[in-house]
Amino acid sequence: MNDIFAPATGIGSLPGQDAREAAKTATGSFEDFPFLPELPARGPGADMIGRTAGMLVELYARVEPSGWRLGDRPGRDTKRARAWLGEDLDALEEFTQGYEGPLKVQAVGPWTLAAALELRSGEAVLSDPGACRDLAASLAEGLRLHLAEIRRRVPGSRPVLQLDEPSLTAVLRGRVRTASGYRTHRAVDRQIVEATLREVAGVHDGGPVVVHSCAPDVPFALLRRAGVAGVSFDFSLLTERDDDAIGEAVEGGTRLFAGVVPGTDAALSDPAGSVMGVRTLWRRLGLRPELLAEAVTVTPACGLAGASPDYARRALAHCVRAARSLADNPE
Protein backbone atom coordinates (compact mmCIF):
# COMPACT_ATOMS: atom_id res chain seq x y z
CA MET A 1 0.00 0.00 0.00
CA ASN A 2 2.87 2.40 0.73
CA ASP A 3 3.86 2.58 -2.92
CA ILE A 4 0.78 4.69 -3.71
CA PHE A 5 1.92 7.49 -1.40
CA ALA A 6 4.51 10.18 -2.08
CA PRO A 7 7.20 11.85 0.07
CA ALA A 8 5.29 15.03 1.01
CA THR A 9 1.82 16.60 0.99
CA GLY A 10 -0.34 19.13 2.83
CA ILE A 11 -2.93 18.58 5.54
CA GLY A 12 -5.94 20.36 4.05
CA SER A 13 -6.72 23.92 5.08
CA LEU A 14 -5.05 26.98 3.59
CA PRO A 15 -5.44 30.72 4.30
CA GLY A 16 -7.48 33.04 2.11
CA GLN A 17 -10.74 32.75 0.20
CA ASP A 18 -9.67 32.27 -3.44
CA ALA A 19 -10.36 28.68 -4.54
CA ARG A 20 -8.26 28.96 -7.72
CA GLU A 21 -5.26 30.38 -5.88
CA ALA A 22 -5.52 27.62 -3.25
CA ALA A 23 -5.77 24.87 -5.87
CA LYS A 24 -2.79 26.35 -7.72
CA THR A 25 -0.77 26.30 -4.48
CA ALA A 26 -1.80 22.76 -3.48
CA THR A 27 -1.10 21.27 -6.91
CA GLY A 28 2.01 23.34 -7.65
CA SER A 29 3.65 22.59 -4.30
CA PHE A 30 3.12 18.83 -4.52
CA GLU A 31 3.39 17.68 -8.10
CA ASP A 32 3.20 14.01 -7.05
CA PHE A 33 0.74 14.22 -4.11
CA PRO A 34 -1.60 17.24 -4.40
CA PHE A 35 -4.61 17.72 -2.13
CA LEU A 36 -8.03 19.35 -2.31
CA PRO A 37 -7.68 22.58 -0.29
CA GLU A 38 -10.13 23.83 2.33
CA LEU A 39 -10.60 27.58 2.91
CA PRO A 40 -12.33 28.10 6.28
CA ALA A 41 -11.77 31.89 6.12
CA ARG A 42 -14.82 32.04 3.81
CA GLY A 43 -17.03 31.42 6.84
CA PRO A 44 -19.55 28.81 8.08
CA GLY A 45 -19.82 26.00 5.58
CA ALA A 46 -16.17 26.28 4.59
CA ASP A 47 -15.00 25.24 8.07
CA MET A 48 -14.12 21.56 8.47
CA ILE A 49 -17.34 20.64 10.33
CA GLY A 50 -19.64 22.57 8.01
CA ARG A 51 -17.92 21.31 4.89
CA THR A 52 -18.33 17.68 5.96
CA ALA A 53 -21.89 18.30 7.19
CA GLY A 54 -22.64 19.44 3.63
CA MET A 55 -21.56 16.01 2.36
CA LEU A 56 -24.01 14.09 4.55
CA VAL A 57 -26.79 12.13 2.84
CA GLU A 58 -30.35 12.56 4.21
CA LEU A 59 -29.01 14.47 7.22
CA TYR A 60 -28.77 18.25 7.23
CA ALA A 61 -27.16 20.78 9.52
CA ARG A 62 -27.51 24.49 10.12
CA VAL A 63 -25.50 27.03 12.07
CA GLU A 64 -26.76 27.97 15.53
CA PRO A 65 -25.01 30.30 18.01
CA SER A 66 -23.60 27.20 19.74
CA GLY A 67 -22.36 25.57 16.51
CA TRP A 68 -23.66 23.20 13.84
CA ARG A 69 -26.99 21.52 14.63
CA LEU A 70 -28.87 18.80 12.75
CA GLY A 71 -32.19 19.84 11.24
CA ASP A 72 -35.01 18.48 9.08
CA ARG A 73 -34.14 19.90 5.68
CA PRO A 74 -31.25 21.50 3.79
CA GLY A 75 -31.11 25.21 4.57
CA ARG A 76 -28.88 28.02 3.34
CA ASP A 77 -25.92 26.79 5.41
CA THR A 78 -25.98 23.34 3.78
CA LYS A 79 -26.41 24.90 0.33
CA ARG A 80 -23.52 27.28 0.96
CA ALA A 81 -21.24 24.43 2.10
CA ARG A 82 -22.07 22.42 -1.02
CA ALA A 83 -21.57 25.45 -3.30
CA TRP A 84 -18.12 26.14 -1.86
CA LEU A 85 -17.12 22.50 -2.20
CA GLY A 86 -18.25 22.59 -5.82
CA GLU A 87 -16.16 25.73 -6.36
CA ASP A 88 -13.13 23.99 -4.84
CA LEU A 89 -13.65 20.93 -7.04
CA ASP A 90 -13.91 23.12 -10.15
CA ALA A 91 -10.58 24.76 -9.28
CA LEU A 92 -8.91 21.44 -8.50
CA GLU A 93 -10.12 19.99 -11.80
CA GLU A 94 -8.66 22.97 -13.66
CA PHE A 95 -5.20 22.52 -12.15
CA THR A 96 -5.04 18.71 -12.39
CA GLN A 97 -5.65 18.27 -16.11
CA GLY A 98 -3.81 15.11 -17.18
CA TYR A 99 -2.65 14.36 -13.62
CA GLU A 100 -2.04 10.74 -12.69
CA GLY A 101 -1.15 9.69 -9.16
CA PRO A 102 -2.32 10.00 -5.56
CA LEU A 103 -4.70 12.86 -4.78
CA LYS A 104 -5.70 13.52 -1.18
CA VAL A 105 -9.17 14.66 -0.14
CA GLN A 106 -10.17 15.42 3.44
CA ALA A 107 -13.34 15.09 5.51
CA VAL A 108 -14.06 15.05 9.21
CA GLY A 109 -14.19 11.52 10.62
CA PRO A 110 -17.28 10.06 12.30
CA TRP A 111 -16.18 10.59 15.92
CA THR A 112 -15.02 14.19 15.67
CA LEU A 113 -18.21 14.89 13.70
CA ALA A 114 -20.32 13.24 16.42
CA ALA A 115 -18.56 15.34 19.06
CA ALA A 116 -19.09 18.59 17.13
CA LEU A 117 -22.58 18.26 15.63
CA GLU A 118 -25.57 18.90 17.87
CA LEU A 119 -28.89 17.08 18.02
CA ARG A 120 -32.08 19.15 18.03
CA SER A 121 -31.86 19.14 21.85
CA GLY A 122 -28.56 21.01 21.67
CA GLU A 123 -26.59 18.06 23.04
CA ALA A 124 -23.84 16.47 20.92
CA VAL A 125 -24.68 13.56 18.62
CA LEU A 126 -22.07 11.74 20.71
CA SER A 127 -24.62 11.51 23.54
CA ASP A 128 -26.87 9.15 21.52
CA PRO A 129 -25.45 5.81 20.26
CA GLY A 130 -28.24 5.43 17.70
CA ALA A 131 -27.62 8.92 16.35
CA CYS A 132 -23.90 8.11 16.12
CA ARG A 133 -24.69 5.07 13.98
CA ASP A 134 -27.01 7.08 11.71
CA LEU A 135 -24.40 9.82 11.35
CA ALA A 136 -21.66 7.34 10.45
CA ALA A 137 -23.88 5.71 7.81
CA SER A 138 -24.81 9.09 6.32
CA LEU A 139 -21.15 10.17 6.28
CA ALA A 140 -20.07 6.93 4.61
CA GLU A 141 -22.61 7.39 1.81
CA GLY A 142 -21.63 11.04 1.40
CA LEU A 143 -17.96 10.12 1.15
CA ARG A 144 -18.73 7.42 -1.41
CA LEU A 145 -20.39 10.04 -3.62
CA HIS A 146 -17.59 12.54 -3.01
CA LEU A 147 -14.89 10.05 -4.01
CA ALA A 148 -16.85 9.13 -7.13
CA GLU A 149 -16.96 12.83 -8.05
CA ILE A 150 -13.20 13.12 -7.54
CA ARG A 151 -12.61 10.16 -9.86
CA ARG A 152 -14.93 11.67 -12.46
CA ARG A 153 -13.23 15.06 -12.41
CA VAL A 154 -9.64 13.80 -12.17
CA PRO A 155 -9.86 10.42 -13.91
CA GLY A 156 -6.13 9.63 -13.71
CA SER A 157 -5.98 10.18 -9.96
CA ARG A 158 -5.84 7.59 -7.19
CA PRO A 159 -7.84 9.24 -4.38
CA VAL A 160 -6.49 9.05 -0.85
CA LEU A 161 -9.18 9.74 1.76
CA GLN A 162 -8.07 11.58 4.89
CA LEU A 163 -10.42 11.47 7.87
CA ASP A 164 -9.75 14.33 10.27
CA GLU A 165 -10.19 13.08 13.85
CA PRO A 166 -8.76 15.69 16.26
CA SER A 167 -11.39 14.76 18.89
CA LEU A 168 -10.79 11.00 18.69
CA THR A 169 -8.66 10.74 21.84
CA ALA A 170 -11.15 12.90 23.79
CA VAL A 171 -14.00 10.61 22.66
CA LEU A 172 -12.08 7.52 23.78
CA ARG A 173 -11.24 9.04 27.17
CA GLY A 174 -14.56 10.67 28.00
CA ARG A 175 -13.27 14.23 27.72
CA VAL A 176 -15.85 15.75 25.35
CA ARG A 177 -17.86 18.32 27.32
CA THR A 178 -21.66 18.33 27.43
CA ALA A 179 -23.64 21.36 26.29
CA SER A 180 -23.71 22.74 29.85
CA GLY A 181 -19.95 22.52 30.10
CA TYR A 182 -20.19 21.07 33.61
CA ARG A 183 -19.92 17.39 32.68
CA THR A 184 -18.33 15.26 30.01
CA HIS A 185 -19.84 12.60 27.79
CA ARG A 186 -19.12 9.02 28.72
CA ALA A 187 -16.13 7.43 26.96
CA VAL A 188 -17.15 5.42 23.91
CA ASP A 189 -16.13 1.77 23.91
CA ARG A 190 -12.93 1.29 21.91
CA GLN A 191 -14.39 -1.59 19.91
CA ILE A 192 -17.31 0.57 18.80
CA VAL A 193 -14.94 3.40 17.85
CA GLU A 194 -12.78 0.98 15.88
CA ALA A 195 -15.71 -0.70 14.13
CA THR A 196 -17.23 2.65 13.10
CA LEU A 197 -13.93 3.89 11.69
CA ARG A 198 -13.56 0.61 9.78
CA GLU A 199 -17.09 0.99 8.39
CA VAL A 200 -16.52 4.55 7.18
CA ALA A 201 -13.06 3.79 5.80
CA GLY A 202 -14.46 0.76 3.99
CA VAL A 203 -16.50 2.97 1.70
CA HIS A 204 -13.30 3.71 -0.23
CA ASP A 205 -13.47 0.28 -1.92
CA GLY A 206 -9.98 -0.82 -0.96
CA GLY A 207 -8.47 2.62 -1.59
CA PRO A 208 -6.11 4.10 1.01
CA VAL A 209 -7.51 5.92 4.04
CA VAL A 210 -5.41 8.11 6.34
CA VAL A 211 -6.58 9.34 9.74
CA HIS A 212 -5.26 12.74 10.81
CA SER A 213 -5.13 14.09 14.36
CA CYS A 214 -3.04 17.00 15.59
CA ALA A 215 -3.99 16.21 19.22
CA PRO A 216 -1.73 14.40 21.71
CA ASP A 217 -1.91 10.64 22.31
CA VAL A 218 -3.01 9.51 18.86
CA PRO A 219 -4.31 5.89 19.22
CA PHE A 220 -1.97 4.33 16.64
CA ALA A 221 -2.79 0.71 17.54
CA LEU A 222 -6.56 1.24 17.34
CA LEU A 223 -6.24 2.96 13.96
CA ARG A 224 -4.12 0.12 12.62
CA ARG A 225 -6.76 -2.39 13.72
CA ALA A 226 -9.41 -0.27 11.99
CA GLY A 227 -7.54 -0.89 8.76
CA VAL A 228 -6.25 2.58 7.89
CA ALA A 229 -3.25 2.78 5.55
CA GLY A 230 -1.69 5.82 7.20
CA VAL A 231 -1.75 7.95 10.35
CA SER A 232 -1.14 11.70 10.17
CA PHE A 233 -0.01 13.51 13.34
CA ASP A 234 1.83 16.47 14.85
CA PHE A 235 5.33 15.06 15.33
CA SER A 236 6.13 17.51 18.15
CA LEU A 237 3.42 15.93 20.35
CA LEU A 238 4.95 12.44 20.30
CA THR A 239 6.46 11.06 23.49
CA GLU A 240 8.52 7.94 24.06
CA ARG A 241 5.28 6.28 25.25
CA ASP A 242 4.30 6.20 21.58
CA ASP A 243 7.46 4.35 20.48
CA ASP A 244 6.15 0.79 20.60
CA ALA A 245 2.91 1.63 18.79
CA ILE A 246 4.79 3.55 16.08
CA GLY A 247 7.34 0.76 15.62
CA GLU A 248 4.55 -1.80 15.25
CA ALA A 249 2.72 0.47 12.81
CA VAL A 250 5.77 0.88 10.58
CA GLU A 251 6.58 -2.83 10.65
CA GLY A 252 2.94 -3.56 9.79
CA GLY A 253 3.11 -1.33 6.71
CA THR A 254 1.25 1.72 8.06
CA ARG A 255 2.42 4.98 6.48
CA LEU A 256 3.41 7.76 8.89
CA PHE A 257 2.40 11.28 7.85
CA ALA A 258 4.84 13.14 10.07
CA GLY A 259 3.81 16.74 10.75
CA VAL A 260 7.18 18.38 11.25
CA VAL A 261 6.65 21.87 9.78
CA PRO A 262 4.83 24.42 12.03
CA GLY A 263 1.25 25.15 10.98
CA THR A 264 1.41 28.87 11.80
CA ASP A 265 4.03 31.49 10.91
CA ALA A 266 7.38 30.51 12.38
CA ALA A 267 11.03 30.55 11.46
CA LEU A 268 11.78 27.51 9.31
CA SER A 269 14.97 25.60 10.02
CA ASP A 270 17.00 24.04 7.25
CA PRO A 271 15.18 21.04 5.69
CA ALA A 272 17.50 18.50 7.33
CA GLY A 273 16.83 20.08 10.71
CA SER A 274 13.08 19.74 10.25
CA VAL A 275 13.33 15.96 9.95
CA MET A 276 16.10 15.44 12.50
CA GLY A 277 13.53 14.22 15.03
CA VAL A 278 12.26 11.62 12.57
CA ARG A 279 15.78 10.25 12.10
CA THR A 280 16.26 10.20 15.89
CA LEU A 281 12.98 8.29 16.34
CA TRP A 282 14.08 5.77 13.70
CA ARG A 283 17.37 5.12 15.48
CA ARG A 284 15.59 4.79 18.82
CA LEU A 285 13.22 2.21 17.35
CA GLY A 286 16.05 0.29 15.71
CA LEU A 287 14.38 0.52 12.30
CA ARG A 288 16.37 0.29 9.07
CA PRO A 289 17.27 3.77 7.73
CA GLU A 290 16.36 2.77 4.18
CA LEU A 291 12.78 2.25 5.38
CA LEU A 292 12.40 5.97 6.06
CA ALA A 293 11.54 7.11 2.58
CA GLU A 294 9.18 4.14 2.13
CA ALA A 295 7.35 4.72 5.42
CA VAL A 296 7.18 8.49 5.97
CA THR A 297 5.35 11.35 4.23
CA VAL A 298 6.36 14.82 5.44
CA THR A 299 3.56 17.32 6.14
CA PRO A 300 2.84 20.46 8.14
CA ALA A 301 1.94 19.77 11.78
CA CYS A 302 -1.68 20.72 11.10
CA GLY A 303 -3.75 22.74 8.67
CA LEU A 304 -2.42 26.12 7.53
CA ALA A 305 -5.63 28.17 7.79
CA GLY A 306 -4.11 30.30 10.57
CA ALA A 307 -0.94 31.07 8.65
CA SER A 308 -0.19 33.98 6.34
CA PRO A 309 -0.46 33.16 2.63
CA ASP A 310 3.26 33.69 2.14
CA TYR A 311 4.18 31.42 5.05
CA ALA A 312 1.73 28.74 3.87
CA ARG A 313 3.42 28.59 0.46
CA ARG A 314 6.88 28.48 2.06
CA ALA A 315 5.80 25.78 4.54
CA LEU A 316 4.51 23.52 1.76
CA ALA A 317 7.69 23.98 -0.28
CA HIS A 318 9.69 23.26 2.89
CA CYS A 319 7.88 19.92 3.32
CA VAL A 320 9.08 18.87 -0.13
CA ARG A 321 12.69 19.85 0.62
CA ALA A 322 12.58 18.14 4.04
CA ALA A 323 11.26 14.93 2.47
CA ARG A 324 14.06 15.05 -0.09
CA SER A 325 16.60 15.44 2.71
CA LEU A 326 15.13 12.40 4.47
CA ALA A 327 15.38 10.31 1.32
CA ASP A 328 18.89 11.47 0.41
CA ASN A 329 20.36 11.16 3.92
CA PRO A 330 18.26 8.65 5.91
CA GLU A 331 20.97 8.31 8.56
Side-chain angles (χ1 to χ4, degrees), residues 14 17-28 34-39 42 51 83-97 99 103 149-150 153-154:
L14 291 175
Q17 302 184 34
D18 187 327
R20 290 188 74 255
E21 184 62 31
K24 182 180 178 183
T25 297
T27 56
F35 63 96
L36 175 64
E38 302 165 2
L39 299 173
R42 291 182 294 198
R51 184 183 184 91
W84 273 329
L85 178 57
E87 195 178 298
D88 294 338
L89 288 169
D90 288 344
L92 181 75
E93 184 177 2
E94 178 184 346
F95 286 98
T96 51
Q97 294 294 312
Y99 174 73
L103 171 62
E149 180 70 1
I150 292 289
R153 287 174 176 262
V154 193

Side-chain angles (χ1 to χ4, degrees), residues 68-70 117-128 131:
W68 285 88
R69 183 173 296 180
L70 294 176
L117 284 180
E118 298 174 357
L119 298 166
R120 291 172 183 79
S121 64
E123 205 51 86
V125 171
L126 191 64
S127 65
D128 183 332

